Amino acid sequence: MKDSSLCSDMNQAAQRTVKPLMLWTGLWLLSLALFTFGPMFIWDFNTVLTLIMLVVNVLVGLKMILANKAHLESLDELQQRIMLEAMALSLGVTMIAGAAYGVCHAVKLIEHQPNASSLLFVMGITYGLGTVMSRRKYL
């Protein structure tokens, strides 16, 4: 098999895994929004419905993880390395920021309770920056 044919097959495999990843990520975000705002605005804090939405959110999240794993496995070695470095940066920065953010409330530097969802923004931004930095490094 020629190199260009191999690359083409790899790119097609990666393209096939992007749509399921986008679908499950979108469904996870939707289920998270329903789990967050549903009790307040739709079902008036009904415990059974809230627990059902919690289970749905976790199950959809697991499918999103599996779709992400399938996508990573479909990438070539360089693309996997770029993603791995971006994920490592994101994990490290989020861990440090999360620990510091949690301590800020305990030592009374901030008055509000730390919100874990704030860390999702840190994670997303550092992942994006990590991807750009790794792509510039290797491509």
Side-chain angles (χ1 to χ4, degrees):
M1 186 177 279
K2 292 182 177 179
D3 286 345
S4 63
S5 176
L6 181 63
C7 284
S8 177
D9 289 344
M10 287 180 163
N11 285 336
Q12 288 177 354
Q15 288 174 358
R16 278 194 303 271
T17 60
V18 166
K19 285 184 182 176
L21 179 58
M22 289 173 49
L23 172 71
W24 287 109
T25 301
L27 288 174
W28 177 75
L29 285 173
L30 179 65
S31 70
L32 183 63
L34 279 173
F35 179 53
T36 303
F37 299 112
M40 289 180 271
F41 300 115
I42 299 174
W43 56 77
D44 194 27
F45 294 98
N46 180 307
T47 304
V48 172
L49 291 176
T50 302
L51 286 173
I52 289 171
M53 208 54 237
L54 169 65
V55 170
V56 168
N57 179 254
V58 170
L59 291 176
V60 172
L62 290 173
K63 286 295 288 184
M64 180 182 71
I65 290 169
L66 293 174
N68 194 23
K69 183 178 182 291
H71 177 66
L72 287 174
E73 289 173 350
S74 70
L75 299 175
D76 65 32
E77 289 178 12
L78 180 59
Q79 291 171 323
Q80 287 178 351
R81 182 164 187 94
I82 289 169
M83 299 293 270
L84 179 65
E85 286 189 11
M87 289 178 186
L89 177 68
S90 177
L91 174 66
V93 169
T94 303
M95 186 179 72
I96 291 168
Y101 187 42
V103 171
C104 282
H105 178 70
V107 296
K108 301 187 187 294
L109 283 177
I110 57 173
E111 293 182 14
H112 63 277
Q113 283 279 20
N115 187 347
S117 63
S118 302
L119 294 175
L120 293 176
F121 291 105
V122 172
M123 184 178 281
I125 291 168
T126 54
Y127 176 75
L129 287 173
T131 301
V132 169
M133 289 169 35
S134 292
R135 288 185 64 83
R136 291 183 74 185
K137 179 178 173 183
Y138 294 112
L139 299 178

